[in-house]
Every structure is written in structure tokens, then in C-alpha cells.
């Protein structure tokens, strides 16, 4: 694993900033304009005012607030370096309760070619430019990346859970039905034990690819302008939340596809073409589709929703013969790769550029939204998919490949506003 260090976090002062539930927010890339307004209304100190300000110059606004809140006491800087255990507890739609527990640390930045930190998604230039401007102005990691590591023995988990079981949390806040709790570990012996347990592990980026690559770019800038650069300055590290893939609370949800604005779209013609490659089953609504996908052992099973029709489809043969030979074996195991390459591209004519720009494709996280969008006529068809597994994510990362856009949704998102990481 890349070097991880305890750090002196900037945190909200509970005596002056108010209720933590009104201070935290999701990361910038999942905040709609409506949610942004709700968060702004919830508190004059909500973290969205640092993460995604509404001002014409959002970067200067964020930096100014960060400075003022520190000066006025709404924020405080911890006096001792620490690792910060963080748990999120939630109940899914089926009524099952999950508790995901990892910890925040400062992690040394490495180029992907060094293979200590591995991605699984492509990044876009726009979000990286946006986040780099925020890094430059605030000189602080406002939000964390989400990293995974594999430790089947769970030694670090045991150290963390022993601490959290014995101590009250610093923060205990419910946001959108998810309970968020934060602790602090300052004991050098415990910190060293966690570091040692993870020293040989690779980190796989689950979420925050744009922020991680921005961290690399920011480090290069700071190093070039610092004649005494040593490699140990805070800007050589990035705020990360680390979670063991063997944590039973780690959940990956699917992201479904909606097709729109295709010329001459014909649902009956699509079905005819699907039958060339897939076993097609007519289904009666959302409940039957859910049961169909849960029962399907194949990774290449999907739901197809169009006006007046719900179909369950499963690929008839090995996908290798249908995919470009340049697609790595790890990617061939992904249901979304077959959906994108065979169905969306070959059968419907939606190219990679159109997918990236969402010219004919948009994404939703709830299968109910698929049915609603089709019924309203906003889209021509919806494709309900099964979630990728954590093992598939790691296999793609190890292979050096990248998954299709919007392949994974690690739920819940890591909240912004629990800890901030100064880069000076």
C-alpha cells in the first residue's frame, strides 16, 4: 500500500458550528442544483459552501470561507495527527441493515504506472480542471477519495473496531437516512499497527478518480514551484477513506441506462435483433423483472423496458466471440461491457462519443426511475442491469483496463465535511 499517515484534520467545532447533520454534504459530483440549495439553506456553515459554492468565483469563495471559519472558530485544527475511523449505517430497500466501517488517512500520491494505486474508470478534463482550481485556492482537500484494499485477515479492521467499540464518536449525524459516525485515533502504537497491517496492500480507487488525478496534477505544480521540494510535504498526500473489500457492509449498487432521441427507434425491431443473441423472456412489470435478475446466474442478464413491454434477456453464448479481441478478459466478464458493445453500440448505433456526451444515453440509480421515464415518454427504452461485484472492479483495475462509464455506485457516498486535509 502507499504510505498512509495520520494528519491534523480541520474539523467543525461542535460548540459553534451547530448540528453536524446540517453541516455535512455529499461530494460535488452528485449534488444537484436542488440539493445544493437545500444544503445551503440548512446552515450558513454547510460544507457545500466549500465543496460547491454558488458564487460566480466559487474557488475564491471557498477559500475565503475556509479562512474565515477557521479565524472565527466554526472550524478547528486538531493539535495531534490522527487517523479517523468512519462508519456509515443504512438500511437498503429490502430492509437489510449494513454498516460499512473504514478510516480517513493522508495517503501518499503515486502515478498509476507505479501500480500502488489503481483506477477502474476513465476521467474527463472538465471535472479535473474544476477540482484543480479548488485545490489551488483552498490548498486543502475538501472531500475525500474512496479507496479499497484487500485484507482477508482483517488485522487493521480489528484495531479500528476495538477503538470504536470503546469510545464515543466525535460526530454522530444522520443524513438522508444514513447514520455517519466519526472517531479519532491518536495513539502512535495503534496508528503504527494499522500502517503495518496494510503496508503490502494495493489501493483500488472505488470513487474519486477525478480528485485523485487532480491530486497528482497539484503535486506536480507545487513541486515545480518549490526549490526545496523533498517529497514529504503535505501536498504529496491526499485525503482518502480506506475500506477493506472483505467488510460485509461494502455494497455496490447498479447504474441503469436510459436511451433517448434515437431516430427511427422501433421497440419491436429491437426485440427481433435481441433474439439473435439473447434468450428473451416476457415479464409482467417491475417485480417480475427484479425476480428474473436476482435468479439469473449469468453476468449477462438484463431487463429491457419499453412502451408496453418488459423483457428479461440473457446472453445465449460466450461473449468472447462477440467482442473485439482487444478487450481484456477481465472486461469481457462485465455485463456492462456486453450491453454497451453489443446492444447499445451494435444494435442501437450509439457510439462511444454519444455515450460519453450522453447524446442518446442517460443514467439512473433506481430501477423505478427506469419504468417512470419510459411510461412518461421521456425516453424510448430503459436497460436495467445487475451490479458489478467488488471482485470484478479489482480484476479490471489489476488488468490495467477501465470499466464503462457509470459502472459502479458504491453506496453510500463518503460525506464531505467530517474532516478536511490541509495541504500546507
Amino acid at each position: 500500500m502507499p504510505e498512509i499517515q495520520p494528519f491534523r484534520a480541520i474539523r467543525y467545532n461542535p460548540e459553534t458550528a451547530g448540528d453536524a447533520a446540517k453541516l455535512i454534504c455529499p461530494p460535488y459530483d452528485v449534488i444537484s442544483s436542488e440539493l445544493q440549495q437545500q444544503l445551503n439553506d440548512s446552515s450558513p456553515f454547510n460544507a457545500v459552501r466549500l465543496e460547491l459554492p454558488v458564487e460566480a468565483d466559487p474557488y475564491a469563495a471557498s477559500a475565503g470561507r475556509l479562512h474565515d471559519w477557521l479565524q472565527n472558530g466554526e472550524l478547528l485544527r486538531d493539535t495531534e495527527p490522527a487517523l479517523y475511523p468512519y462508519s456509515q449505517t443504512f438500511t437498503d430497500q429490502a430492509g437489510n441493515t449494513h454498516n460499512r466501517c473504514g478510516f480517513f488517512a493522508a495517503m501518499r500520491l503515486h502515478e498509476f504506472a507505479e501500480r500502488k494505486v489503481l483506477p477502474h474508470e476513465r476521467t474527463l478534463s472538465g471535472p479535473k480542471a474544476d477540482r484543480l482550481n479548488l485545490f489551488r485556492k483552498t490548498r486543502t482537500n475538501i472531500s475525500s477519495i474512496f479507496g479499497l484494499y484487500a485484507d482477508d485477515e482483517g488485522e487493521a479492521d480489528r484495531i479500528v473496531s476495538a477503538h470504536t467499540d470503546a469510545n464515543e464518536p466525535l460526530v454522530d449525524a444522520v443524513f438522508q437516512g444514513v447514520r455517519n459516525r466519526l472517531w479519532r485515533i491518536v495513539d502512535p502504537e495503534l496508528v503504527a499497527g494499522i500502517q503495518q497491517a496494510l503496508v503490502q496492500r494495493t489501493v483500488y480507487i472505488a470513487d474519486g478518480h477525478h480528485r485523485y488525478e487532480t491530486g497528482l496534477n497539484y503535486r506536480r505544480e507545487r513541486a515545480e514551484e518549490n526549490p526545496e521540494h523533498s517529497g514529504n510535504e503535505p501536498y504529496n498526500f491526499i485525503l482518502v477513506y480506506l475500506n477493506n473489500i472483505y467488510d460485509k457492509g461494502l455494497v455496490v449498487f447498479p447504474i441503469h441506462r436510459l436511451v433517448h432521441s434515437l431516430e427511427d427507434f422501433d421497440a419491436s425491431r429491437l426485440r427481433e435483433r435481441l433474439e439473435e443473441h439473447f434468450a428473451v423472456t416476457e415479464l409482467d412489470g417491475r417485480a417480475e423483472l427484479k425476480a428474473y435478475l436476482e435468479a439469473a446466474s449469468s453476468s449477462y442478464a438484463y431487463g429491457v423496458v419499453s412502451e408496453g413491454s418488459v423483457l428479461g434477456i440473457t446472453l445465449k453464448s460466450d461473449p468472447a466471440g462477440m467482442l473485439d479481441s482487444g478487450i481484456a478478459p477481465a472486461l469481457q466478464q462485465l455485463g456492462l461491457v456486453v450491453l454497451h458493445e453489443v446492444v447499445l453500440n451494435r444494435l442501437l448505433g450509439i457510439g462511444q462519443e454519444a455515450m460519453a456526451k450522453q447524446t442518446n444515453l442517460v443514467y439512473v440509480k433506481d430501477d423505478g426511475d427506469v419504468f417512470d421515464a419510459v411510461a412518461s415518454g421521456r425516453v424510448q427504452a430503459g436497460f436495467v442491469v445487475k451490479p458489478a461485484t467488488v471482485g470484478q472492479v479489482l480484476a479490471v483495475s489489476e488488468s490495467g483496463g477501465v470499466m464503462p462509464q457509470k459502472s459502479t455506485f458504491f453506496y453510500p457516498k463518503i460525506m464531505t465535511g467530517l474532516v478536511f486535509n490541509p495541504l500546507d
Side-chain angles (χ1 to χ4, degrees):
M1 177 178 279
E3 177 187 352
I4 57 170
Q5 289 188 351
F7 65 104
R8 291 174 53 215
I10 295 172
R11 297 187 295 108
Y12 280 108
N13 182 347
E15 296 183 3
T16 56
D19 181 4
K22 297 180 180 180
L23 300 174
I24 58 178
C25 72
Y28 73 103
D29 55 344
V30 295
I31 299 177
S32 65
S33 57
E34 180 182 8
L35 178 57
Q36 184 184 35
Q37 185 61 54
Q38 292 172 0
L39 293 166
N40 274 298
D41 291 344
S42 68
S43 168
F45 307 113
N46 188 280
V48 76
R49 297 173 183 266
L50 304 177
E51 174 78 340
L52 196 65
V54 297
E55 285 80 3
D57 185 347
Y59 316 111
S62 180
R65 286 196 184 99
L66 187 64
H67 174 269
D68 291 346
W69 293 355
L70 278 165
Q71 289 292 107
N72 298 336
E74 284 83 26
L75 294 175
L76 52 81
R77 180 87 184 269
D78 278 343
T79 57
E80 297 178 88
L83 299 178
Y84 297 84
Y86 173 39
S87 76
Q88 291 175 289
T89 307
F90 66 98
T91 301
D92 63 25
Q93 292 182 340
N96 303 307
T97 298
H98 306 267
N99 183 55
R100 186 179 69 199
C101 190
F103 62 92
F104 290 110
M107 182 178 74
R108 181 174 291 279
L109 288 155
H110 287 275
E111 301 289 344
F112 293 142
E114 298 176 67
R115 299 192 62 78
K116 293 194 174 189
V117 179
L118 296 176
H120 75 270
E121 287 185 356
R122 290 185 178 90
T123 54
L124 303 173
S125 59
K128 286 188 287 188
D130 166 62
R131 291 298 96 179
L132 184 56
N133 284 328
L134 189 65
F135 275 45
R136 287 167 175 162
K137 287 290 188 178
T138 63
R139 300 170 86 91
T140 301
N141 293 146
I142 302 299
S143 58
S144 172
I145 71 164
F146 182 175
L148 300 172
Y149 64 90
D151 176 17
D152 57 353
E153 295 182 359
E155 185 175 348
D157 293 338
R158 285 193 291 274
I159 297 173
V160 169
S161 62
H163 178 85
T164 58
D165 288 346
N167 293 275
E168 291 296 316
L170 302 174
V171 175
D172 191 343
V174 176
F175 180 87
Q176 294 183 340
V178 179
R179 185 183 184 189
N180 298 270
R181 287 176 291 172
L182 182 79
W183 293 260
R184 179 177 54 192
I185 296 178
V186 297
D187 185 326
E189 185 175 343
L190 296 182
V191 170
I194 294 170
Q195 291 172 315
Q196 184 59 38
L198 303 181
V199 69
Q200 299 297 327
R201 314 292 174 184
T202 300
V203 171
Y204 306 89
I205 300 177
D207 196 14
H209 289 77
H210 291 95
R211 277 160 281 170
Y212 186 84
E213 290 190 32
T214 298
L216 292 171
N217 292 332
Y218 182 73
R219 179 187 65 176
R220 294 185 198 106
E221 286 189 354
R222 293 289 299 271
E224 288 173 1
E225 65 190 25
N226 180 7
E228 298 182 0
H229 172 77
S230 67
N232 292 316
E233 297 86 355
Y235 59 76
N236 293 283
F237 296 79
I238 194 166
L239 178 63
V240 63
Y241 165 80
L242 292 170
N243 183 235
N244 191 352
I245 68 165
Y246 295 99
D247 181 354
K248 293 181 180 179
L250 180 61
V251 175
V252 186
F253 288 157
I255 303 178
H256 311 295
R257 274 63 178 151
L258 299 178
V259 171
H260 66 92
S261 307
L262 288 177
E263 293 184 9
D264 302 320
F265 175 80
D266 186 328
S268 60
R269 174 57 180 154
L270 174 61
R271 174 171 179 165
E272 291 175 5
R273 300 197 68 187
L274 286 170
E275 288 174 340
E276 298 173 14
H277 307 288
F278 296 86
V280 177
T281 303
E282 291 189 10
L283 301 170
D284 185 15
R286 183 181 173 189
E288 280 198 10
L289 176 56
K290 180 180 179 180
Y292 174 89
L293 292 176
E294 288 178 348
S297 58
S298 171
S299 296
Y300 315 108
Y302 319 89
V304 184
V305 183
S306 58
E307 185 178 3
S309 173
V310 180
L311 305 176
I313 65 171
T314 301
L315 192 66
K316 293 178 182 178
S317 58
D318 189 327
M322 307 175 66
L323 300 174
D324 188 294
S325 59
I327 296 176
L331 283 167
Q332 292 182 14
Q333 301 303 310
L334 296 176
L336 279 175
V337 169
V338 170
L339 179 68
H340 278 223
E341 295 295 323
V342 177
V343 180
L344 300 182
N345 190 348
R346 193 178 307 170
L347 302 188
L348 291 176
I350 305 174
Q352 293 297 327
E353 184 176 353
M355 291 185 198
K357 293 182 177 180
Q358 299 190 28
T359 306
N360 302 109
L361 196 65
V362 293
Y363 306 90
V364 294
K365 299 180 179 72
D366 189 331
D367 64 325
D369 292 338
V370 175
F371 283 84
D372 290 343
V374 171
S376 70
R378 298 195 307 272
V379 302
Q380 294 159 314
F383 293 88
V384 179
V385 302
K386 300 175 68 172
T389 67
V390 174
Q392 288 174 329
V393 174
L394 269 58
V396 170
S397 300
E398 290 283 3
S399 75
V402 289
M403 300 173 78
Q405 186 179 11
K406 304 288 186 182
S407 289
T408 56
F409 179 41
F410 288 86
Y411 183 84
K413 290 286 186 177
I414 306 302
M415 288 289 103
T416 295
L418 294 162
V419 289
F420 307 110
N421 179 39
L423 297 175
D424 284 328

